[in-house]
Amino acid sequence: MDDSEEIAPAVQSILDAARERGGGGDRVSVTPRSLPDAFDAVADAGRTPVVAEIKPTSPTADGERTDDPVDLAQQMVAGGAAALSVLTEPDHFGGSAETLERVREAVDVPVLRKDFILHEAQLDVVEADVVLLIVRFLEAEGTGDLTDLLAAARERGFQVLVETHTAAEVEQAVDAGADIIGVNNRDLAELAVDLGTFEAVAPDVPDGVTLIAESGIQTPDDITRMRDAGADALLIGSAIMDHDAATDVEANTRRLTGADTDAIETTTDT
Ligand SMILES: O=C(O)c1ccccc1NCC(=O)[C@H](O)[C@H](O)COP(=O)(O)O
């Protein structure tokens, strides 16, 4: 990201906090649960591959959910989620590494660590199956290089979701060797959401890459729209967490995965 680029104050604050955060201690080494395999298994079972996100709050949420994240995770899996995303960013999203650790122990689906990782030491915080690297936030002063961070994450065993928002960022992700790419419908400069972003950018993602549509997906019609545009899977937070009304997370997930009430195996310990 060009340091002179205008971005929303909330995002600037997220980035400032991320720059300040250090890493963990010992180098993480993980044997990951395969994200593409989890998507294939769910699709083969006739459900929509959804990564359901545990996001207690966010700069754009109207409230906060204080339910136990492990309960939420189990409800999401019972509702047919193929994988989970857990915010570990503490200052703006109410997340923590400890939450991710507890959730990953309680479920057997792949778990994405959703955070704003800017340098290598920040990979050594907690075991996860997938970590997120956001193209837009890398390559500015004081951050790591995308290619180097991708390699560093893989050396630790992580799968890597490389998040993009434009065709140029997709090109950067592909050049860096990404094999799982997300297109975020939320513009992190303005925080506006437009599902047309995925439709515009998806054609630039090469075949063979696992492609995830992120943000702003609320309804089964939105899912059809993203799947028709080429999404292998959907990353959904707000519509499942329903921060202001605190509705039933399992039902919210089921509505979006198309899961039958009795067809889903519930969670097991790993
Ligand atoms: O969700 C936010 O308000 C937000 C604000 C600033 C930077 C990032 C933000 N979200 C990160 C995400 O990528 C979303 O949590 C994720 O894609 C799910 O989106 P949604 O289904 O719209 O909650």
Side-chain angles (χ1 to χ4, degrees):
M1 172 180 259
D2 177 347
D3 279 340
S4 65
E5 196 177 344
E6 287 278 317
I7 56 170
V11 177
Q12 188 59 58
S13 172
I14 291 168
L15 278 176
D16 291 344
R19 281 201 172 95
E20 293 295 309
R21 262 194 306 279
D26 296 342
R27 186 184 168 97
V28 167
S29 174
V30 66
T31 304
R33 304 165 190 165
S34 167
L35 189 65
D37 287 356
F39 292 160
D40 287 346
V42 158
D44 289 349
R47 306 198 306 273
T48 302
V50 168
V51 182
E53 183 159 280
I54 297 173
K55 178 164 75 165
T57 189
S58 83
T60 59
D62 283 332
E64 178 165 7
R65 284 201 79 143
T66 54
D67 326 39
D68 180 357
V70 170
D71 286 349
L72 294 174
Q74 290 174 330
Q75 289 176 54
M76 289 166 172
V77 174
L84 301 179
S85 165
V86 178
L87 261 299
T88 54
E89 203 275 0
D91 302 317
H92 303 80
F93 294 86
S96 72
E98 189 220 346
T99 295
L100 187 146
E101 202 164 28
R102 289 180 57 229
V103 165
R104 189 164 182 263
E105 270 171 25
V107 300
D108 56 9
V109 299
V111 179
L112 163 69
R113 176 181 168 209
K114 199 78 186 304
D115 210 324
F116 300 85
I117 293 171
L118 300 181
H119 50 83
E120 182 171 347
Q122 292 172 333
L123 293 167
D124 292 323
V125 170
V126 64
E127 286 185 24
D129 302 288
V130 192
V131 291
L132 177 74
L133 295 178
I134 303 174
V135 173
R136 186 164 201 161
F137 290 165
L138 297 175
E139 319 230 351
E141 205 183 317
T143 72
D145 167 83
L146 176 62
T147 308
D148 293 345
L149 275 176
L150 191 62
R154 287 178 175 155
E155 281 163 16
R156 289 161 170 80
F158 295 117
Q159 299 159 98
V160 184
L161 167 59
V162 180
E163 181 177 300
T164 65
H165 184 67
T166 64
E169 289 178 5
V170 166
E171 196 178 331
Q172 280 179 267
V174 171
D175 288 350
D179 57 1
I180 306 173
I181 292 180
V183 177
N184 197 344
N185 289 309
R186 180 172 285 112
D187 178 352
L188 296 180
E190 297 169 356
L191 294 184
V193 171
D194 177 2
L195 297 188
T197 301
F198 183 85
E199 292 170 319
V201 173
D204 291 300
V205 177
D207 291 345
V209 168
T210 299
L211 177 57
I212 302 178
E214 301 177 28
S215 299
I217 298 151
Q218 301 280 337
T219 66
D221 283 351
D222 292 342
I223 286 179
T224 302
R225 189 171 157 190
M226 296 294 95
R227 295 279 273 165
D228 287 350
D232 296 306
L234 305 306
L235 172 61
I236 307 179
S238 308
I240 291 175
M241 294 296 285
D242 196 10
H243 297 97
D244 54 342
T247 52
D248 179 344
V249 158
E250 180 178 335
N252 295 343
T253 310
R254 193 181 298 288
R255 183 171 57 90
L256 296 165
T257 61
D260 294 335
T261 309
D262 299 320
I264 309 301
E265 242 181 70
T266 50
T267 56
T268 56
D269 289 341
T270 50

